[in-house]
Amino acid sequence: MKVAWLSSRVLGTDLCATTQINLANCLVENGYDVTLYSPGKCDTNLFKHVSIIRSSRRGLQSYSVRRDLEKNLVEINQYDIVLIDWTVATMTKKIVPPTIIIDRSPPADRGLLSRLQWHWWKKAWENAEYGTVVSSKHRSLVLDYATKLKCNVAIIPAGVDTNVFVPAIKNKVIHLVYHGRLNHNRGVMRLPTILTRANNIGLNLQLHIHGEGDCLGKLQALLIEGLEVTSTLTQEELAVRLSSYDIGLLPMPNNNNWNIASPLKRSEYLASGLAVCGIDHSGHQIANSGNWLQLFDQENFVEKTVEWLSKLSSEKLENYQKQAREYAEKHLSWSHSAKELEALIIKSTN
């Protein structure tokens, strides 16, 4: 079966394109002929890639991608099925084969841009017949706007390459980590407070923060013993670093941006053999999780995290880390996610 995937993600530079890359590779491994149309460059994966032009100006990026994609419509309409990111889904009415909306996250920006994005997000789902989301709460949000979907929505949480993200020998000192966007609305400025309070009660910790965003400069300016802040790492360097860390942090607050999410970083933490600690909401929760996942109320997140760390023995932590890796191997590989997508493809083409 020939599959086209139309995406606004920039391959090669956008870490959020991890989902598209891994799912497309899994489909190829399962016998599908996949071509990904998107900005950027990609020549090391199993699928074919057609590079699409994208404007550098925010607010025009999705529009420019849609405009360039439409130049390929004759070719796209020869495929058996078309997967299409919601950001470019307004062109669905021009596509002949069945389409599946791919929604890895509703709009996360703020202000005027966010209002515009929400308008197009709703438009993308209004007439969709098939689609994918990342969580049950995300699915409920979609069904509030969709008119035709009924039950044709597959839940495909963020997966992880368990061959790339693997545990290594841990350190005697406990190493905490957060990686991802360093934006204020993600709660990242709380993280140094955890380290400060831990230092004040005599805990020997290290905190590593890796990423880009509006808080990067503020975080780098902090002079706190045990704090390391870097810009974004390559996936290869990140995997090496995570393998030696101990606990991954999820500070994203309980709001509509994050409580419907399935954070890729959570999967990468678990596959790397890290226990995980974060704010308690549906976007961070995992059904039937063990003590390797510790979630606390948003108001008391810093205090409860420090309290938990103060009582955490090395034996307990080692056990949690082993269980976290075992969970990732059983439930979080991209092959599990690809099975859900493949089932929806079969349903939509029948």
Side-chain angles (χ1 to χ4, degrees), residues 54-62:
R54 189 182 82 153
S55 170
S56 59
R57 293 180 61 185
R58 294 195 68 193
L60 294 178
Q61 291 173 339
S62 293

Side-chain angles (χ1 to χ4, degrees), residues 39-150:
K41 295 182 179 180
C42 177
D43 54 11
T44 59
N45 289 291
L46 302 178
F47 54 84
K48 305 180 191 75
H49 181 241
V50 176
S51 186
I52 299 297
I53 296 172
R54 189 182 82 153
S55 170
S56 59
R57 293 180 61 185
R58 294 195 68 193
L60 294 178
Q61 291 173 339
S62 293
Y63 169 77
S64 63
V65 171
R66 288 196 302 270
R67 184 178 58 187
D68 208 40
L69 283 170
E70 289 182 5
K71 296 177 183 178
N72 295 273
L73 269 174
V74 173
E75 180 180 322
I76 290 168
N77 282 330
Q78 301 303 311
Y79 285 83
D80 299 305
I81 182 77
V82 177
L83 314 181
I84 183 165
D85 289 7
W86 75 259
T87 51
V88 292
T90 53
M91 61 180 291
T92 301
K93 59 182 177 293
K94 300 178 181 180
I95 296 174
V96 176
T99 58
I100 296 176
I101 302 293
I102 306 295
D103 185 351
R104 302 310 296 169
S105 172
D109 287 308
R110 293 172 288 179
L112 176 61
L113 183 57
S114 175
R115 290 196 293 273
L116 291 171
Q117 288 175 334
W118 276 106
H119 169 77
W120 293 115
W121 180 87
K122 293 173 185 178
K123 285 288 186 183
W125 281 111
E126 276 180 1
N127 298 307
E129 295 189 44
Y130 299 91
T132 72
V133 293
V134 301
S135 69
S136 57
K137 191 160 185 176
H138 188 181
R139 183 179 187 273
S140 297
L141 178 67
V142 162
L143 293 179
D144 287 339
Y145 297 100
T147 57
K148 296 182 180 179
L149 276 171
K150 296 183 180 177

Side-chain angles (χ1 to χ4, degrees), residues 9 14-23 104-105 134 156-162 165 178-181 186 235 238 242 249-250 252 258 261-272 276 283-284 286 328 332-334 337:
R9 298 294 189 189
D14 187 348
L15 292 180
C16 292
T18 299
T19 294
Q20 282 80 351
I21 291 170
N22 284 282
L23 287 178
R104 302 310 296 169
S105 172
V134 301
I156 303 179
V160 64
D161 188 335
T162 53
F165 291 89
Y178 169 88
H179 81 83
R181 292 297 302 173
R186 292 182 180 234
Q235 187 184 58
L238 177 64
L242 287 182
L249 299 172
L250 299 174
M252 292 82 80
W258 315 121
S262 173
L264 178 62
K265 62 178 63 64
R266 184 184 64 187
S267 298
E268 292 171 345
Y269 291 159
L270 297 175
S272 301
V276 176
H284 292 161
I286 297 177
L332 297 180
S333 71
W334 282 112
S337 299

Side-chain angles (χ1 to χ4, degrees), residues 167-186:
I169 297 174
K170 307 298 184 182
N171 302 281
K172 291 184 179 180
V173 175
I174 293 179
H175 288 251
L176 313 178
V177 63
Y178 169 88
H179 81 83
R181 292 297 302 173
L182 302 182
N183 292 340
H184 191 270
N185 65 348
R186 292 182 180 234

Side-chain angles (χ1 to χ4, degrees), residues 315-328:
E315 292 78 14
K316 277 187 178 180
L317 178 57
E318 186 176 344
N319 192 36
Y320 294 163
Q321 291 169 337
K322 180 181 178 182
Q323 293 170 1
R325 172 63 187 186
E326 290 172 351
Y327 181 89

Side-chain angles (χ1 to χ4, degrees), residues 183-297:
N183 292 340
H184 191 270
N185 65 348
R186 292 182 180 234
V188 295
M189 294 307 297
R190 290 183 172 205
L191 300 180
T193 309
I194 293 174
L195 183 60
T196 300
R197 296 195 180 187
N199 288 341
N200 289 342
I201 62 172
L203 295 181
N204 189 9
L205 304 176
Q206 299 280 326
L207 171 60
H208 307 271
I209 299 175
H210 308 298
E212 298 280 352
D214 55 35
C215 291
L216 176 60
K218 296 176 185 177
L219 289 166
Q220 289 179 325
L222 296 175
L223 300 176
I224 302 175
E225 184 179 353
L227 175 64
E228 178 196 32
V229 181
T230 75
S231 56
T232 302
L233 306 175
T234 65
Q235 187 184 58
E236 292 77 13
E237 187 176 0
L238 177 64
V240 171
R241 292 253 198 157
L242 287 182
S243 70
S244 64
Y245 295 157
D246 297 286
I247 298 169
L249 299 172
L250 299 174
M252 292 82 80
N254 184 13
N255 60 38
N256 284 336
N257 285 338
W258 315 121
N259 60 21
I260 66 171
S262 173
L264 178 62
K265 62 178 63 64
R266 184 184 64 187
S267 298
E268 292 171 345
Y269 291 159
L270 297 175
S272 301
L274 276 65
V276 176
C277 180
I279 290 176
D280 190 12
H281 58 69
S282 58
H284 292 161
Q285 295 162 0
I286 297 177
N288 303 314
S289 62
N291 288 328
W292 40 264
L293 178 62
Q294 296 286 324
L295 299 176
F296 304 116
D297 290 342

